[in-house]
Each structure stands twice: as structure tokens, then as C-alpha cells.
Amino acid sequence: MDAPTTTGFGAFVRDARELVVQPRMGFGPPRRMRRGLRATRDADATSVGTLTLDSYTRVGDLAAARRAVTEGTDLNGYPLLTHGPAATRRMLRGIGGPGFPVQVRHGSAAPQDIVRGLLAAGLHATEGGPVSYCLPYSRTPLAEAVHHWTRACELLAEARGPGPEPHLESFGGCMMGQLCPPGLLVALSLLEGMFFVRHGLRSISLSYAQQTDPVQDEEAVRALRALAAELLPGVDWHIVVYTYMGVYPRTPSGARALQDRAVALAVRAGARRLIVKTTVEARRIPTVAENVAALETSARTARALPRPDRAAADDGRDTQVYAEARALVEAVLCLGPDIGRGLLTAFGRGWLDVPYCLHPDNAGRSAGFIDERGRLGWSSVGAMPIGHVVTPRPAAALTSSGLLDALHYVETRLDLGELAGTGAHREPAPAGS
Amino acid sequence: MQTTAPGTAGPTPGAPATGLDVVVTGTSSDAHTWNLIYLELLLTEWGHRVSVLGACVPEELVVTEALACRPDLVVVGSVNGHGAADGLRLIAAIRAEPRLAALPVVIGGKLGTAEDTARAALPRLRAAGFTGVFEESAGTAPFRRYLDTLTAGVCR
Ligand code: B12
């Protein structure tokens, strides 16, 4: 990894001496948000902070966000634009800074105002992407999202000054949260990263969300690293792993076991940062304490793992995931130097096609399945140009119970792990909140 | 917990072969779609004809679609924590349209950011005009019973 930048989110992660852990935390009231960020900073872990924005701000419905704040209704995140820059600076005072960078996580296909808002509040790091924050998150046409995200990248890049280097993370490694074969996730993350760089970013991160099989996941993170090393020269980049983003185990020990697997994936495959999940993920928004527990448990697990063997870890090319990702990336890059246009053409032709995505600009001809070893594979590749590296395995028509089985594959196995072990118990209902 | 009108529950033996025309939709702020895909499959298997509006559907679009397609039922799914607030807005928009005053509209999912706030919202949603409110912990059985009753009424 090259290191052209000096301070900021990317530099903090690059210079960290252990795996950096981060929550997916967001609360409506500034006081509660401040308490959450302070607790994240003070956790026994190398941590960075998160401001996850609420769904009204994400879809640009600021009137609804305002009403919720005025009426004191619960929001599922921090309404950055409603509280405004002055209140947000106050909320962050003495907490956010070089020793504890804070990232804004949102989910908007038209993020210009959010980017302006976070810059005005003194922040420099955020995430998303023209595809990953459009197809699973909105009904905005993809062409508009590409246009909005071009502008958002430029706004971030223009904010570069003597202070922290602006940082942008691709959410491309998460499409729909679950049941997307890893080759496509790796390709989308990489392509969005290249899009960010073309539009002025110098410090970026590429994501990969843990899926159903630990070995396949490791192949995916290695493939992503190999492709980034090749295609992002001179850029400050790192890999961030998301703890499982699909239907989560309901039992505390099932949840912890899944978290442990994500930590092991990040450490073994050489990711630098991990977004954690809590033991109440399946049910509700976690409290500050539940977030801190997840951060500390993950940090402890990471410290106990042996450091990966660098020499062995550095090759990620000899795998199925790499072959698929490489074919998809090459197909899009062949469409010309403008990556945004390339992405549009590719989705238009079905060269990129995300399974189970309802967005009108997604072809919807691909489908995935979980094979007998637990790996994600293709039952149909649609028009994606990976026919030479994949033999799709046609599947029976999807039924509601078949879909639930696939969505609950990870959850069931890890929850059963608890039931098979000693002291099976469900978490008691939380008192109060 | 299910809060459809009491006295109407109970599966209908020998339910009619013709199903309902159903529109399945998310709420304006909710991006989650796996629940909608699941509901589509489930309703289709139960013999109904389904159209899915997708993620982040503005209230006006639900109203326009309901006027254009004249469905027998609108099913709203929400899990992002804003379901109660978004649901209230949506049902107000639907009931404000006189031609949709009697349209059966139900909502289900994870309707608040905490289990107890979700539960507290159920009576308010019903009072605001939802025909049925299905909180996730109750599973699909009450929803199935509701549909059987509705089918018996509509497809005589
Ligand atoms: C996958 C997922 C995502 C994906 C969704 C991709 C997509 N397009 O669908 C992504 C990553 C994009 C995502 C984003 C967000 N998510 Co999310 N997500 C999940 C997750 C992990 C699984 C959901 C799922 O796929 N379930 C499978 C489907 C089939 O089941 P279901 O949705 O649970 O619905 C069941 C029932 O509720 C019921 N049901 C649902 N609707 C209806 C309707 C009727 C009429 C009936 C009868 C039944 C019914 O039937 C289903 C089957 O049993 C859940 C947590 C979990 N469960 O593990 C969080 C979760 C739902 N997400 C949550 C949140 C808050 C968000 C975000 C705001 C980000 C954040 N702060 O974390 C954004 C939302 C953006 C927005 N604008 O809405 C929260 C909601 C909390 C709450 N209710 O208070 C959860 C619970 C996670 C958490 N603990 O914080 N998410």
C-alpha cells in the first residue's frame, strides 16, 4: 500500500498497529450520539467513530427528519442536516480529531448535501458509491446516481487542504447484504474505488461483507487486495471487512461466533479495518453499551489470533472469486476510461447484474444459491461475461420457504451451534429501552 | 401480535379458487426489500396476484398505483424502524383519497426502533385506518387468517 497522505481517516487506519474496529452506530439526539462516540473512542480497542445517518436524511426527506426531531420521535440514525454544522461540531468537540477520526455512514443515492453537511461540520470521511448506494437503497435511476456521486466525489476532493485527507469508502462489497456471490461484490467494490479515484479522491477503502463460507470469504478479500494492488497504484487504500450483513443469529453466542469469524477473516486475509455488529442485530438498534461490548470483544479476539504469514497471504489470484471478479472488472474497463459511463452501460446490458435486486436499472436475470459446502455460487449468470469461468447450476423455482432457508442459512447454523452446546439460552428481553 | 378486527378471524374451509389482486410496497424511507420479495412469493403461493413497488416508495406513488390498479389489498412492509411513523403518513395519504377510503390496507414488519415502541404503535396504526397490523413476532399465521377472511369476502 502506498502512503501519500499524512493525516485523516485513511492515514489513521494505515498507521494503526492492529485491526481497527468500528461500530455502525447512529442515534437521533446529539447528546446520545456524543455519548456513543466518546464510548467508542474510550473502548479498549483501536477504534474509529461512526455517525450513521437516519433513513429520512438518506432519502432527502428533511421535513420528516425535522418533524421527528421536533416531536421527539425515535430516529434510526443521526439527522446530520437537521441538527446542522454548529450543533454537530459541538457534539463532536473534544472527541473527533486526528487520534479518533469519525466517518459518516449514510446510504444516499444523491449525497451532495450530506457531503456538504459533513464537511461543514469539520468531518472528512464518508462512504457509499454510485452503484452500492443506488441499487439496494433507492429508486433513483442509476444514471442520476452516477451524476450525483461524481459531484459528491468532487466536493470531497475539493475540500482537501492542509488538514485531514478526505476519505471515501465503497459500500460495493455489500450489495443487498446477503446472497450475492463474492466475485461480483469484489468487482463492484473495486470499480467504485476506481470511480472515486477518477473523480479526485486519493484516500479510499474497499469493502467486503462476510458471506456464508469462511474459505470463500478469505479468497474474496485476497482477490480484492490483489486487484487493488494492480489497479490502484499511488492511491492510499485499505480493505474494510463488514461483519455479516444478512439475517443475523438471534442467540448471543450465535452472534458472537459469527463476529469471531469476521474478525478471523479480517486478520487472516489482511484487511485493516472491521465494522462490527452487536448481539441484538437481529432485533433492534443496539445501545451504546452493546456497541462497546462488540468493539472490545472483537479487538480481544483479533489480538489473540496469530499474525498472518505475509508471504502466503500476498497472493490472491489463483481462485474462483478472483477469476470472476477479474472478468467483470475487465469487461467494464473495456467500455472506456469513464468508469461511471462504463458502469451504466454494463448494468444496461446486464454485464453487471445483482441477484434479488428490485431496482429497475438492474437486469434481474442473475441468481445465486448456497451449495452443499456452504459457498455462494451462481444458478444463473444472466448476461454477465463470466460464462468462461463459471458453470451455473440451474436451480428449482424460488419459493418463499426456499428463500427464507437461504436467508437464514448462516443464522440457523450459528444459532444451532449454541443449542448444541452447553447452556442454551435466549437473551433476556431488555429492561426499559 | 395481530390487531385486525376481532370476530372475523379463522381460516375459511374451501376458500375460493380466485385470489386477490395485491400491491406490496415498502414505505417512503425504507430501503429493505428482502421482506417484500418474501411477501411476494408467499402471496403468490397462496394464490394471489402480486405487484411489488419496491424500496423507498413515496406516499403519492402508492396512492397513484392504488387508483390505477384498483387492487383488492395493499400490503405495506417495513423493518427499518420508521414503520410506525411512515405508516401513519402513508395511511393518511391513502384515506385522504375518497376512492380509497374502503381499500383494505395492512402493515407489518419491525415497526419501531425498539420492541416496546413498536408494540405501542400498533393501536395508533389501526386507529389511523390500517385494516390490519402484523407485528413481526406473531409470525405469518395471523396474516394468513386475515387473507382467508378477506378472500372469502371479496371472491364470493
Ligand atoms: C439485510 C439488511 C439490510 C440491507 C438491506 C438490503 C435490501 N435492499 O433489502 C442493507 C445493508 C442495505 C440495510 C440497510 C439499513 N438497515 Co438493515 N438490516 C438488514 C438485516 C441484517 C436483515 C434483514 C433481512 O433481510 N431479513 C430477511 C427478511 C425476509 O425478513 P425481515 O425483513 O426481517 O421481515 C420479516 C418480518 O419482519 C416479516 N415482515 C416484514 N414485513 C412484513 C409485512 C407484513 C404485512 C407481514 C405480515 C410481515 C412482514 O416477514 C419477514 C419474514 O419473517 C436486518 C437485521 C436482521 N434481521 O438480522 C437489518 C435491520 C432491519 N436494518 C436496520 C437498519 C436501522 C438499517 C439502516 C438504517 C442502517 C443502520 N442504521 O443500520 C439501513 C436502512 C436504510 C433505509 N433507508 O431504510 C435495523 C432496523 C432497526 C429497527 N427496526 O429498529 C435492523 C434490524 C438491524 C439493526 N439491529 O439495527 N439493512
Side-chain angles (χ1 to χ4, degrees):
Chain A
M1 266 168 262
D2 297 312
T5 59
T6 46
T7 66
F9 193 88
F12 179 89
V13 174
R14 193 186 59 234
D15 297 342
R17 289 222 288 267
E18 60 177 352
L19 182 68
V20 175
V21 290
Q22 180 176 7
R24 302 175 83 226
M25 183 194 282
F27 303 113
R31 261 226 216 116
R32 184 141 192 241
M33 194 66 246
R34 179 173 172 86
R35 202 154 50 74
L37 285 171
R38 192 170 32 209
T40 304
R41 183 196 62 188
D42 295 344
D44 180 13
T46 302
S47 56
V48 289
T50 303
L51 276 184
T52 295
L53 305 192
D54 70 286
S55 295
Y56 293 130
T57 306
R58 290 162 181 249
V59 297
D61 189 353
L62 297 184
R66 162 65 57 203
R67 205 174 321 123
V69 169
T70 314
E71 292 172 6
T73 319
D74 266 351
L75 284 171
N76 61 11
Y78 181 79
L80 176 77
L81 302 179
T82 309
H83 291 320
T88 301
R89 279 178 188 269
R90 255 194 321 277
M91 186 271 290
L92 291 164
R93 186 174 306 145
I95 298 181
F100 183 65
V102 173
Q103 183 192 39
V104 172
R105 305 185 70 86
H106 53 100
S108 172
Q112 296 95 314
D113 287 344
I114 291 172
V115 169
R116 286 191 194 97
L118 68 92
L119 291 170
L123 296 169
H124 298 82
T126 185
E127 49 118 34
V131 174
S132 62
Y133 267 9
C134 176
L135 296 188
Y137 272 101
S138 76
R139 46 197 323 112
T140 306
L142 187 60
E144 285 176 30
V146 166
H147 170 78
H148 294 312
W149 272 93
T150 302
R151 190 63 200 122
C153 290
E154 291 164 2
L155 285 168
L156 270 173
E158 285 159 15
R160 181 178 296 122
E165 176 72 25
H167 182 89
L168 188 53
E169 164 190 328
S170 162
F171 195 69
C174 177
M175 304 304 291
M176 314 312 289
Q178 51 206 336
L179 297 186
C180 182
L184 180 57
L185 296 175
V186 168
L188 286 172
S189 204
L190 200 277
L191 287 164
E192 284 195 333
M194 293 183 75
F195 175 91
F196 299 162
V197 171
R198 291 285 155 91
H199 294 292
L201 273 299
R202 292 183 195 156
S203 176
I204 64 169
S205 40
L206 306 175
S207 62
Y208 178 74
Q210 176 185 20
Q211 301 290 329
T212 51
D213 177 62
V215 176
Q216 189 182 35
D217 283 343
E218 213 173 307
E219 291 176 12
V221 174
R222 294 234 164 88
L224 188 53
R225 286 180 53 200
L227 285 167
E230 218 172 302
L231 295 166
L232 294 167
V235 176
D236 170 46
W237 61 266
H238 69 262
I239 305 290
V240 52
V241 164
Y242 303 156
T243 302
Y244 194 61
M245 293 292 282
V247 174
Y248 217 73
R250 301 189 71 87
T251 59
S253 68
R256 274 191 294 271
L258 188 52
Q259 181 67 74
D260 284 351
R261 283 210 212 174
V263 174
L265 166 64
V267 170
R268 263 198 249 119
R272 305 300 293 265
R273 179 160 58 95
L274 173 73
I275 308 235
V276 304
K277 285 226 172 169
T278 74
T279 52
V280 303
E281 167 65 18
R283 310 214 314 263
R284 57 170 169 81
I285 305 253
T287 62
V288 171
E290 286 157 349
N291 272 295
V292 170
L295 292 168
E296 294 188 337
T297 314
S298 299
R300 219 174 308 126
T301 309
R303 284 167 191 162
L305 287 170
R307 294 241 158 189
D309 175 357
R310 277 263 154 218
D314 269 343
D315 185 57
R317 291 179 172 77
D318 191 20
T319 64
Q320 177 65 27
V321 181
Y322 180 86
E324 288 177 30
R326 166 116 228 158
L328 292 168
V329 167
E330 273 177 3
V332 176
L333 295 182
C334 278
L335 294 168
D338 181 338
I339 308 243
R341 190 172 303 238
L343 286 167
L344 279 177
T345 308
F347 274 100
R349 294 182 184 173
W351 286 8
L352 295 171
D353 188 351
V354 180
Y356 308 108
C357 172
L358 299 181
H359 194 287
D361 290 332
N362 186 64
R365 292 180 48 216
S366 70
F369 74 106
I370 302 171
D371 75 12
E372 49 296 322
R373 288 182 298 165
R375 292 168 72 101
L376 279 167
W378 296 103
S379 47
S380 159
V381 298
M384 286 189 287
I386 50 175
H388 58 299
V389 290
V390 178
T391 312
R393 222 162 71 182
L398 189 64
T399 61
S400 61
S401 63
L403 176 71
L404 279 196
D405 283 350
L407 288 171
H408 286 262
Y409 178 90
V410 168
E411 183 251 329
T412 318
R413 273 154 189 77
L414 288 153
D415 279 343
L416 278 177
E418 160 152 324
L419 296 175
T422 51
H425 66 281
R426 298 246 157 178
E427 193 182 52
S433 167
Chain B
M1 179 163 99
Q2 186 244 92
T3 60
T4 41
T8 53
T12 323
T18 32
L20 307 172
D21 287 312
V22 186
V23 167
V24 170
T25 182
T27 60
S28 59
S29 83
D30 199 333
H32 296 86
T33 47
W34 289 104
N35 56 329
L36 309 182
I37 297 175
Y38 169 68
L39 288 167
E40 178 184 18
L41 291 167
L42 196 65
L43 288 162
T44 310
E45 289 159 15
W46 289 348
H48 306 294
R49 293 167 300 277
V50 185
S51 74
V52 181
L53 301 186
C56 298
V57 187
E59 282 96 41
E60 313 82 71
L61 183 60
V62 180
V63 172
T64 325
E65 283 292 315
L67 286 173
C69 315
R70 286 316 181 104
D72 299 312
L73 171 69
V74 173
V75 175
V76 183
S78 177
V79 298
N80 76 347
H82 290 177
D86 289 354
L88 289 173
R89 276 209 301 185
L90 175 57
I91 197 68
I94 293 175
R95 297 305 182 210
E97 169 53 58
R99 284 168 291 172
L100 301 178
L103 173 68
V105 184
V106 302
I107 186 167
K110 285 185 206 297
L111 298 171
T113 57
E115 282 125 327
D116 54 349
T117 56
R119 233 167 283 125
L122 305 186
R124 274 172 56 221
L125 288 162
R126 245 195 104 201
F130 277 106
T131 330
V133 184
F134 303 93
E135 211 261 321
E136 103 168 333
S137 57
T140 52
F143 182 51
R144 174 64 199 247
R145 279 199 296 276
Y146 171 81
L147 278 157
D148 286 343
T149 314
L150 189 64
T151 312
V154 171
C155 308
R156 257 190 296 252

